[in-house]
Structures are given as structure tokens and as C-alpha cells.
């Protein structure tokens, strides 16, 4: 089942909107551990650049000069980006140019007062300045120019990276929606005929079938890229309820669902097409009862889903593998190459195995870095 999807506007909460804005904000969260490691590496890189640009000789390596430059750049970066991190929520509503100018000005201000403080501290401790320094304030001016250029390039890089990330996110959502739109509602007319036939003989079942069908339609019209695994399984149960009315005792489904499915995510309408395939190529072609098993195992790192259905003896129905390719594409678009979908027939059974990792999509992982 599936219906060609549209994207109606969905009202979002203010907290949800704020969270989305921060996720798309071009200044990353510098308070994270990963960001702290990258900033420490950046401090060492800047110290090396300043040393190479100013030291008259690099051999033997001027360790004292490098130590002072690394300490200065580390302190400037730590204080500056800690303040940027604290003000990040407020800065999200500022124009790009204002954010860039304010960030560079903050870094240069911290460089000035930390440099002056360091000069007086070294003089008080009677420790030498850097070997290439003849005039402290001339050197400070040179550092200001170099750091301003470097900070501007770094912030420009962050802005371009964020734009690329947003384009990837938009392209991913469009790709998933396009794949979802390709699923055809070939069971729709059968469902309507079943409901029409039940109205006179069993109105309660007819009402339940209408509710199940309405839920399937609403799910198809949602603009959500992914849902919880529990929601996807509930949708499969709705679909199975309608098919049981049509197929009667020939259809029996064993739902073996482990714990933890509420907290896991899966691309929207990924399991239902697989269940539809199992019914269409197995149960519909059989004159006897067919047992279908849907087994979900949530491990510490992986989600394993196995769908087993009997292969009908004799008559076969040709297929173009569209549903399998569709679901495979959506899994790989959402989780990358780690996700897999395998299907094989042996000993009269057709087994579909779906596996994907816990956690975030590649695009989301990039946005956290």
C-alpha cells in the first residue's frame, strides 16, 4: 500500500522550531567534546603558522617560542569559543555578516588583552619573550592581522559547510519523499470492496476496516522522513487487519517484536511494502493457511528485522523487485552503506532480512561535528 504523497504544512512547536534552527545554524556547537578536540588541534595549527611566519630559524626547533605561541592561541580560542558557545542561541537570529564580524572582533579582543597580560606576566617572572620579538607591540599588531585573516577564513569555511549540509539534508528529504511516492496503492480497490460487503453483515468490522484504512492513508500523506520503529510496526498491523478480512484463515502472522522499538527510528513506510510483498506473492497464491513471521531484534548496535513467508507451490506471480529496491534505497539514503536488505528463497520459504545501525544518518552526523 501506498499513496502518492503530498506535503501539507505541519504546525511545529516553538521548541521544535528552535531546535531545528539550531541544528541548521552555521555556527556549530563548540561546547561538545568533539568540538573541543578540534579547537585544540586548531590552536596548535595556529601556533605553528605564527612560528613559521616569524621565526628566523626553525632548527633547532625553538621550543620556548612554540610553547608561548601554543599557550596564547589555546587561551584565545578557549575563551573566545566558550563565549560564542554561550551566546550561540541568541546569535542564531543575527545576520550572517553580524555574526562573522562579532566573532572576529571577539577573538581579536581576547588576543589583545591576553597578549598584554602575557607580556607583563613574563616580565614579572623574569622569563624571556619569544626569540624573534624586538618590539612587543609590533609583534602583537602582526599577530592581530594574521589571526583576523585566519579567523575570517575559518568562519567562512563553517558557513559554506553549513550551506552544503542544508543542501544535503534537503536533497535527502526530497529523495526519500520521491521514493515513497513511487509505491502504488494496488490494494485500495479490494479494501473498498471489503468494506462495502461488510457494512450490511458486520458493521463493526466495517467500521474498524475504515479506521485502519484511514490510518494507512494518513501515514502515506505524512511528510515525516522517518518514524519510530513501533509506529511502523503498528502501521503493518493495520495493513494486516485489512488483508485478514479479505484472505480469512489463509493469513496468519506471528509478530515477534522485541523490546526497545519505541526509541528506534526507521524510514517511513519501509516495513509495510515488505509485508505486502509477502502476502501478495505467498498467501494470495495459496489455497491453504500460510504462516508469516515478522521478527524484530534490537541489539546494542544493530536492528535486525526478518520477514519469513511460505512460497506458494505451483503458481507464481512475476514481480519487478520495485519494493525491495525502493526500501533498499531509502535505508541507504537514511543510514548509509551500513544498512542492508537481503532476500532469498530456500526450502519453500522466502526470507527477507533487513539490518541497519542505531543512531543518526550521515547528514545528521556531519551536522554534529
Amino acid at each position: 500500500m501506498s499513496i502518492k504523497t503530498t506535503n501539507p504544512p505541519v504546525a511545529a512547536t516553538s521548541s521544535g522550531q528552535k531546535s531545528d534552527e539550531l541544528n541548521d545554524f552555521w555556527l556549530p556547537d563548540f561546547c561538545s567534546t568533539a568540538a573541543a578536540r578540534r579547537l585544540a588541534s586548531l590552536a596548535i595549527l595556529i601556533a605553528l603558522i605564527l612560528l613559521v611566519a616569524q621565526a628566523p630559524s626553525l632548527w633547532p626547533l625553538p621550543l620556548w617560542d612554540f610553547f608561548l605561541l601554543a599557550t596564547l592561541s589555546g587561551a584565545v580560542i578557549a575563551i573566545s569559543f566558550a563565549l560564542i558557545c554561550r551566546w550561540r542561541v541568541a546569535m542564531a537570529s543575527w545576520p550572517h555578516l553580524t555574526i562573522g564580524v562579532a566573532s572576529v572582533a571577539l577573538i581579536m579582543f581576547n588576543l589583545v588583552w591576553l597578549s598584554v597580560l602575557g607580556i607583563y606576566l613574563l616580565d614579572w617572572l623574569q622569563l624571556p619573550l619569544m626569540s624573534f620579538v624586538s618590539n612587543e607591540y609590533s609583534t602583537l599588531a602582526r599577530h592581530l592581522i594574521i589571526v583576523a585573516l585566519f579567523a575570517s577564513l575559518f568562519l567562512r569555511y563553517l558557513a559554506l559547510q553549513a550551506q552544503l549540509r542544508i543542501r544535503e539534508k534537503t536533497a535527502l528529504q526530497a529523495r526519500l519523499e520521491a521514493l515513497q511516492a513511487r509505491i502504488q496503492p494496488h490494494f485500495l480497490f479490494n479494501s473498498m470492496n471489503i468494506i462495502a460487503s461488510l457494512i450490511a453483515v458486520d458493521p463493526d468490522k466495517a467500521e474498524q476496516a475504515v479506521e485502519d484504512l484511514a490510518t494507512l492513508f494518513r501515514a502515506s500523506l505524512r511528510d515525516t522522513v522517518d518514524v519510530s520503529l513501533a509506529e511502523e510496526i503498528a502501521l503493518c498491523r493495520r495493513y494486516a487487519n485489512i488483508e485478514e478480512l479479505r484472505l480469512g484463515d489463509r493469513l496468519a502472522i506471528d509478530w515477534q517484536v522485541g523490546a526497545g522499538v519505541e526509541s528506534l527510528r526507521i524510514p517511513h513506510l519501509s516495513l509495510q511494502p515488505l509485508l505486502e510483498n509477502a502476502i501478495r506473492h505467498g498467501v494470495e497464491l495459496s489455497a491453504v493457511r500460510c504462516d508469516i513471521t515478522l521478527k524484530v531484534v534490537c541489539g546494542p548496535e544493530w536492528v535486525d528485522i526478518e520477514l519469513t513467508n511460505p512460497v506458494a507451490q505451483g503458481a507464481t506471480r512475476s514481480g519487478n523487485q520495485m519494493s525491495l529496491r525502493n526500501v533498499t534505497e531509502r535505508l541507504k539514503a537514511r543510514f548509509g552503506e551500513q544498512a542492508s536488505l537481503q532476500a532469498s528463497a530456500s526450502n519453500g520459504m522466502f526470507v527477507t532480512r533487513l539490518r541497519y545501525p542505531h543512531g543518526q544518518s550521515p547528514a545528521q552526523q556531519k551536522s554534529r561535528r
Side-chain angles (χ1 to χ4, degrees):
M1 184 273 333
S2 288
I3 303 107
K4 188 177 179 65
T5 61
T6 58
N7 293 321
V10 179
T13 62
S14 59
S15 60
Q17 289 176 337
K18 184 175 292 186
S19 176
D20 290 340
E21 289 176 359
L22 287 178
N23 287 337
D24 293 334
F25 186 32
W26 64 274
L27 276 183
D29 182 9
F30 294 111
C31 295
S32 65
T33 304
R37 290 196 298 266
R38 287 172 173 81
L39 291 176
S41 302
L42 182 63
I44 296 175
L45 176 61
I46 293 175
L48 286 173
I49 292 174
L50 293 175
L51 183 66
V52 171
Q54 299 174 99
S57 174
L58 295 177
W59 188 259
L61 184 67
L63 294 177
W64 177 251
D65 294 349
F66 177 72
F67 171 76
L68 292 180
L69 288 172
T71 302
L72 176 62
S73 61
V76 170
I77 286 177
I79 295 174
S80 300
F81 285 99
L83 293 173
I84 291 174
C85 176
R86 184 172 183 179
W87 299 331
R88 182 170 178 262
V89 175
M91 294 171 71
S93 60
W94 296 3
H96 277 53
L97 182 60
T98 304
I99 296 172
V101 171
S103 299
V104 173
L106 177 64
I107 293 171
M108 295 179 69
F109 172 76
N110 288 326
L111 176 60
V112 169
W113 75 263
L114 284 170
S115 297
V116 173
L117 178 63
I119 291 171
Y120 283 104
L121 184 61
L122 289 173
D123 183 61
W124 180 67
L125 295 174
Q126 297 183 347
L127 294 173
L129 286 172
M130 289 170 284
S131 60
F132 52 82
V133 174
S134 58
N135 185 303
E136 298 91 340
Y137 299 102
S138 175
T139 302
L140 175 57
R142 187 181 295 110
H143 286 179
L144 284 172
I145 295 173
I146 296 174
V147 170
L149 291 174
F150 197 90
S152 300
L153 290 174
F154 178 65
L155 292 172
R156 180 58 179 166
Y157 163 76
L158 293 178
L160 292 176
Q161 188 182 53
Q163 291 175 6
L164 178 61
R165 186 170 65 244
I166 292 173
R167 283 198 295 269
E168 288 179 349
K169 181 180 177 181
T170 303
L172 174 62
Q173 183 166 354
R175 182 182 176 191
L176 292 176
E177 290 174 354
L179 288 169
Q180 180 177 323
R182 288 166 53 188
I183 309 173
Q184 298 299 321
H186 60 259
F187 91 115
L188 175 61
F189 295 109
N190 288 335
S191 301
M192 298 301 294
N193 289 333
I194 291 170
I195 293 171
S197 64
L198 285 173
I199 290 176
V201 297
D202 197 335
D204 291 337
K205 280 188 177 181
E207 182 180 358
Q208 183 61 49
V210 170
E211 291 180 2
D212 291 337
L213 188 61
T215 300
L216 292 170
F217 267 78
R218 282 195 297 270
S220 296
L221 294 173
R222 290 176 62 179
D223 63 350
T224 306
V225 172
D226 58 7
V227 295
S228 73
L229 184 54
E231 290 180 77
E232 186 70 12
I233 293 173
L235 191 67
C236 289
R237 290 180 182 271
R238 294 276 193 176
Y239 171 77
N241 291 340
I242 296 176
E243 291 291 51
E244 284 175 356
L245 294 175
R246 180 169 65 92
L247 299 170
D249 294 337
R250 285 190 292 158
L251 174 61
I253 302 179
D254 181 13
W255 305 90
Q256 299 180 14
V257 181
V261 294
E262 295 81 7
S263 60
L264 300 175
R265 309 297 289 179
I266 190 171
H268 190 37
L269 289 175
S270 292
L271 293 186
Q272 185 274 330
L274 302 180
L275 179 59
E276 183 176 2
N277 262 5
I279 293 175
R280 188 166 182 264
H281 295 280
V283 183
E284 285 186 358
L285 301 179
S286 177
V288 298
R289 171 183 167 128
C290 292
D291 294 305
I292 294 177
T293 301
L294 179 65
K295 184 178 180 181
V296 180
V297 179
C298 305
E301 297 182 2
W302 297 90
V303 179
D304 292 285
I305 301 175
E306 183 177 279
L307 181 64
T308 306
N309 64 276
V311 178
Q313 300 296 323
T316 59
R317 175 175 287 164
S318 61
N320 56 13
Q321 305 292 314
M322 179 178 290
S323 294
L324 293 178
R325 287 198 303 269
N326 195 328
V327 174
T328 301
E329 284 290 320
R330 300 172 74 187
L331 285 171
K332 291 188 180 299
R334 175 64 173 80
F335 296 104
E337 294 300 322
Q338 291 179 301
S340 64
L341 178 63
Q342 299 176 344
S344 61
S346 63
N347 299 324
M349 301 297 292
F350 191 85
V351 181
T352 304
R353 294 184 177 89
L354 187 155
R355 190 179 214 217
Y356 63 91
H358 291 187
Q360 302 170 328
S361 67
Q364 289 173 313
Q365 290 170 354
K366 288 179 184 178
S367 68
R368 300 287 183 185
R369 293 175 183 172

